[in-house]
Amino acid sequence: MANLKQIPLTCSGHTRPVVHLDFSDLTDCGYFLISACKDGKPMLRLGDTGDWVGTFEGHKGAVWGVALNNKATLAASGAADFTGKIWNAVTGEEVHSLQHNHIVKTVAFDSNSQCLVTGSNEKLVRVFDLNASGTPVESYSGHAGNIKRAIFARNDKYVISCADDKTMRLWDRTSGQETMRVEFNAHPNSLELSRDGNILTVTYGSNVAFFETETLKKMKEIVVPTKVSSASLHPDKQMFVCGGEDFKMYKFDYITGNEIESFKGHFGPVHAVSFSPDGELYASGSEDGTLRLWQTTVGKTYGLWKCTEPTDLNNTVNSTATTREVTAN
């Protein structure tokens, strides 16, 4: 199957650059994908096919960050209208609107969907209690630049954030204090927690770095041939994918650090990438206004990709998947 061509599924519908995306966990109904776009309309899709489920209407500015809770029953979004919003992901209705004093760049749920963490251009990280009408119950100050990403970690007892001040910081939710800090030589662009919660993946400059969640000790770092905007580690931690300014998608062997493959698929810089919860595909969002879904193992029958194995002597494997554009109605 090594000679088969990667045929991504293109998900259109957005009218501006797609800047962030997030997958739910596996649910009884499969898994789901949400995208953030500068058009101000986050979209929900079926994760394995890219088919459009719905659009969350209500923001009055570009949406910079999105999140789904584990069960895909709630969605969150952060936007340039100075709000973070919580949505019922089943009905599409707005549940809470969380007012901020500047652009909200990042949102993330805790594992129990009880709290939401946000990061904004106020240089503040906040935690909101979703059981108390979205009341802010924690605030962490210390970053000297706009917050890029903030997530819960270590069984939700800590928050990790990265910002334009070229730092990543660990906040103890019990004491309310910063307990660890990592400094970079460039602005960090993305921050991802591995599926098992043990590894942090951070991109900055042309580097993809991996840190132990418990100690923030750097485990390894790989230099990519472009300025990289986002990276995602496969759930089995054997490979990672990344994308950035040169329009390309890269796949690397996590163990050796060697590049496995690279290919162009977008018509603009890649802003966001993420593996699906089962690791069978990964999604990318780009300046060109589209999301694309890529097979982890090219030629495997999965979702809309169909594979046939002729019984001829060569036993060649032909992918019968054709380029399909998934549109939003």
Side-chain angles (χ1 to χ4, degrees):
M1 295 186 182
N3 294 325
L4 294 179
K5 182 181 179 182
Q6 175 76 258
I7 303 175
L9 300 177
T10 302
C11 306
S12 58
H14 283 302
T15 59
R16 297 286 308 281
V18 178
V19 293
H20 190 235
L21 47 83
D22 187 45
F23 280 104
S24 72
D25 282 353
L26 291 167
T27 74
D28 293 338
C29 300
Y31 61 90
F32 297 85
L33 172 65
I34 189 172
S35 53
C37 181
K38 290 183 180 180
D39 63 11
K41 297 178 179 180
M43 288 188 177
L44 184 68
R45 300 176 185 272
L46 297 178
D48 59 343
T49 64
D51 288 334
W52 178 81
V53 175
T55 302
F56 299 103
E57 304 272 1
H59 278 298
K60 297 179 181 179
V63 174
W64 290 100
V66 285
L68 287 172
N69 70 342
N70 293 338
K71 296 180 180 179
T73 56
L74 294 174
S77 52
D81 60 7
F82 295 12
T83 67
K85 291 185 183 293
I86 308 294
W87 312 85
N88 182 316
V90 179
T91 66
E93 295 178 352
E94 182 180 312
V95 178
H96 298 300
S97 185
L98 313 174
Q99 189 63 44
H100 293 65
N101 296 316
H102 214 309
I103 297 170
V104 181
K105 284 292 186 70
T106 177
V107 291
F109 290 100
D110 67 358
S111 59
N112 297 315
S113 307
Q114 302 298 307
C115 295
L116 184 83
V117 62
T118 69
S120 70
N121 285 5
E122 299 170 75
K123 306 173 186 177
L124 291 176
V125 176
R126 289 189 178 93
V127 174
F128 292 81
D129 184 346
L130 302 185
N131 294 319
S133 300
T135 303
V137 291
E138 301 164 31
S139 181
Y140 304 100
S141 61
H143 277 296
N146 299 336
I147 310 298
K148 278 295 190 70
R149 291 284 168 250
I151 57 176
F152 291 100
R154 297 188 185 179
N155 297 317
D156 298 331
K157 295 179 181 178
Y158 291 81
V159 168
I160 299 177
S161 59
C162 63
D164 284 343
D165 60 3
K166 301 181 182 179
T167 69
M168 175 172 65
R169 305 187 189 214
L170 180 72
W171 310 91
D172 185 334
R173 296 184 62 196
T174 302
S175 67
Q177 300 299 310
E178 175 188 328
T179 59
M180 292 186 189
R181 182 187 306 186
V182 176
E183 297 185 355
F184 303 101
N185 59 18
H187 301 302
N189 290 316
S190 68
L191 172 65
E192 180 193 75
L193 186 66
S194 62
R195 285 283 162 183
D196 63 8
N198 294 329
I199 299 176
L200 290 164
T201 303
V202 183
T203 61
Y204 65 98
S206 299
N207 304 282
V208 181
F210 301 90
F211 297 84
E212 290 181 350
T213 306
E214 286 300 316
T215 64
L216 292 195
K217 177 183 177 181
K218 186 189 294 183
M219 303 167 65
K220 59 179 61 185
E221 183 171 288
I222 289 91
V223 178
V224 180
T226 186
K227 288 186 177 180
V228 62
S229 299
S230 181
S232 184
L233 181 63
H234 191 276
D236 69 9
K237 295 183 280 191
Q238 296 297 307
M239 68 180 77
F240 71 90
V241 292
C242 60
E245 288 189 356
D246 65 359
F247 304 8
K248 286 185 177 182
M249 289 295 298
Y250 291 88
K251 184 189 291 182
F252 282 80
D253 186 307
Y254 174 72
I255 306 301
T256 66
N258 295 329
E259 182 181 321
I260 299 173
E261 61 184 357
S262 66
F263 35 81
K264 281 191 177 180
H266 283 288
F267 298 98
V270 178
H271 295 311
V273 300
S274 181
F275 270 108
S276 62
D278 61 3
E280 292 289 350
L281 62 81
Y282 49 98
S284 58
S286 169
E287 184 74 16
D288 65 15
T290 68
L291 285 84
R292 294 182 189 241
L293 304 182
W294 312 80
Q295 277 190 289
T296 302
T297 303
V298 179
K300 185 175 182 178
T301 295
Y302 182 83
L304 296 176
W305 291 284
K306 305 299 179 184
C307 181
T308 59
E309 296 192 31
T311 56
D312 62 6
L313 295 177
N314 293 328
N315 195 31
T316 55
V317 181
N318 298 315
S319 173
T320 60
T322 56
T323 302
R324 175 171 185 243
E325 187 163 295
V326 183
T327 59
N329 297 322

